Amino acid sequence: MEEKFLLNNDDRERESATFLESSRRSQAIWADLPKNPQKYRVLTGERPTGPLHIGHLFGTLSNRVKIQELGATTFIVIADYQVLTDRDSADAVGTNVHEVILDYLAAGLDPENGRTFFFSHSHVPELNQLLLPFMNLVTTAELDRNPTVKEEIRAAGLKQVNALMYTYPIHQAADILFCKGNVVPVGRDQLPHLELTRKIARRFNDRFSPENPVFPVPDALLSDIPLVLGTDGQKMSKSRGNTIMIRMTPEETAKVLKGAKTDADRNITYDPVNRPEVANLLRLISICTGEAPEAVAAAIGDGGGGRLKAALTEALNAYLAPMRERRARHAKDPGYVKDVLRRGVARAREEAVATLEQVRKAMNMDHGLH
Ligand code: TRP
């Protein structure tokens, strides 16, 4: 791999500084959101690379539902172009978009409330066109030092880096700014992209519309839920087989959890440092039942890994039951899923057309046509 794509100490230092500052701003927004939900335009989303699992559910989806319930308008981008950054085949994208929408509906995101919209960015040409003016505001050196891009290049084992992988953080800025999103609920790994989005917004405003800023400078909204690990104690990911998908049956869930990693000590205690796998399973029970992980551990006592896994299976299946029921109902009606997407795309396009018009005007490219 080219050396410039290896993570170095400067990258790491910048990353922690960004994290600290973003956390501070995120806390202030969490405090204000319930009081002033109408101030916030929320934009977030993911790449449609497969059905969503409980890592997504507890890490981001439940947060989105919470924000939706507070009354903020929420746009969710299904970033289908971005799927191709680290793989060649688009074969599964169609199915995955459908599956992801079912997972959103299952989790409780509600496109019938008039405030929640799902769209695929491939269907919003005016959003994609923002890429051109935005590319002009970013240097190649800035793209070179994006730690998340570097990590993805490493994880995918890429020998060559295609220009989409290199530039997708600019595309992500277009995803956020096309609708003037000012709050972006994301995990820590997405903060470098958000930093770039903030720079693009500021630079565009400074250069082309200093009197009357076109774009807000968006903030990340971080979740305080600790990272959920896979059943083997490693990062949760489909390719490792260590995940529980929202769409699994209770039996499939029980089977995966039977294989979960624990340790040799039969006495169950909550000790995240010395017993990370056991602690992860306890935390999952705690998320589902609302009981503190220490109390869950005490109740299991010396019942061992078997009792722990049985308790988790029961708690998780009960927690997921209403979501799975909703998912199954919508899965029987593909026409509805399509309709939800069609409406989301239509609404996103309205926003994108209006923003692009403003952008052209600010850049002296309206040519008297609007
Ligand atoms: N890069 C994000 C991910 O891999 C997905 C994404 C695309 C996104 N556009 C976005 C997230 C805009 C937040 C805002 O998960």
Side-chain angles (χ1 to χ4, degrees):
M1 195 162 54
E2 282 181 70
E3 194 174 344
K4 71 174 182 183
F5 291 124
L6 292 173
L7 217 57
N8 60 41
N9 276 338
D10 280 354
D11 294 331
R12 282 185 263 271
E13 272 172 31
R14 252 194 316 272
E15 199 279 335
S16 340
T18 303
F19 176 64
L20 280 181
E21 276 178 35
S22 308
S23 308
R24 209 168 322 126
R25 292 195 307 265
S26 166
Q27 276 168 19
I29 294 175
W30 273 121
D32 189 49
L33 241 173
K35 289 179 246 161
N36 298 298
Q38 73 294 341
K39 257 179 33 194
Y40 298 101
R41 169 65 66 95
V42 180
L43 181 296
T44 186
E46 48 269 300
R47 304 191 297 156
T49 53
L52 302 181
H53 51 63
I54 57 170
H56 298 111
L57 179 65
F58 297 136
T60 76
L61 294 180
S62 15
N63 243 342
R64 292 180 200 174
V65 173
K66 190 154 113 192
I67 296 164
Q68 161 188 280
E69 299 312 318
L70 290 172
T73 297
T74 307
F75 284 89
I76 307 220
V77 59
I78 305 172
D80 44 1
Y81 276 131
Q82 224 183 77
V83 169
L84 294 171
T85 50
D86 65 356
R87 66 203 75 199
D88 295 329
S89 167
D91 290 354
V93 171
T95 317
N96 287 341
V97 167
H98 185 84
E99 293 289 313
V100 162
I101 293 175
L102 286 173
D103 288 328
Y104 291 161
L105 295 169
L109 287 165
D110 177 15
E112 303 306 322
N113 66 11
R115 287 183 273 107
T116 304
F117 306 96
F118 312 149
F119 68 97
S120 49
H121 59 186
S122 62
H123 280 71
V124 188
E126 296 80 5
L127 177 163
N128 294 307
Q129 190 172 326
L130 290 176
L131 215 53
L132 293 169
F134 287 1
M135 282 186 135
N136 187 49
L137 300 168
V138 176
T139 66
T140 53
E142 282 168 324
L143 295 178
D144 280 342
R145 52 172 186 252
N146 184 307
T148 298
V149 171
K150 289 184 179 184
E151 178 49 31
E152 283 166 354
I153 291 170
R154 195 196 58 74
L158 302 183
K159 299 228 163 47
Q160 307 276 351
V161 175
N162 70 53
L164 181 61
M165 172 60 108
Y166 190 56
T167 54
Y168 87 78
I170 311 179
H171 195 186
Q172 190 151 329
D175 286 343
I176 296 169
L177 295 176
F178 90 95
C179 68
K180 315 260 176 103
N182 58 3
V183 168
V184 189
V186 279
R188 180 169 178 164
D189 66 317
Q190 298 294 305
L191 291 179
H193 303 340
L194 200 68
E195 277 308 292
L196 187 71
T197 302
R198 291 165 60 83
K199 283 192 185 133
I200 289 174
R202 279 199 211 100
R203 288 175 191 169
F204 186 94
N205 293 340
D206 289 350
R207 193 175 303 179
F208 300 114
S209 62
E211 308 288 292
N212 189 11
V214 172
F215 294 112
V217 179
D219 281 305
L221 197 62
L222 295 160
S223 151
D224 57 1
I225 295 190
L227 193 66
V228 170
L229 300 172
T231 51
D232 54 357
Q234 307 290 313
K235 183 173 180 219
M236 193 177 279
S237 86
K238 199 176 46 166
S239 53
R240 303 184 98 103
N242 65 0
T243 67
I244 312 287
M245 313 285 188
I246 298 174
R247 68 161 189 193
M248 277 180 176
T249 63
E251 294 72 32
E252 288 167 334
T253 304
K255 193 163 163 232
V256 177
L257 289 177
K258 262 218 171 79
K261 190 166 172 213
T262 51
D263 56 33
D265 187 347
R266 285 194 58 79
N267 185 30
I268 298 302
T269 53
Y270 184 60
D271 182 351
V273 175
N274 298 309
R275 307 182 73 182
E277 296 92 359
V278 167
N280 180 50
L281 302 182
L282 288 166
R283 260 195 315 269
L284 281 171
I285 299 179
S286 162
I287 294 173
C288 294
T289 63
E291 250 182 299
E294 292 82 358
V296 177
I300 295 169
D302 56 12
R307 274 278 303 283
L308 172 60
K309 292 181 202 178
L312 176 54
T313 303
E314 195 185 320
L316 198 53
N317 278 335
Y319 185 92
L320 294 174
M323 299 185 188
R324 287 170 166 168
E325 191 270 323
R326 214 161 25 228
R327 198 181 193 286
R329 192 153 35 82
H330 290 305
K332 285 199 207 112
D333 188 0
Y336 176 70
V337 173
K338 226 188 277 181
D339 184 53
V340 163
L341 183 59
R342 191 176 286 118
R343 282 187 276 149
V345 164
R347 177 59 202 276
R349 275 200 82 180
E350 277 173 32
E351 298 282 333
V353 166
T355 302
L356 184 60
E357 238 167 71
Q358 277 183 301
V359 162
R360 285 205 202 95
K361 280 210 167 89
M363 297 179 77
N364 265 323
M365 295 184 187
D366 179 62
H367 311 317
L369 296 180
H370 291 284

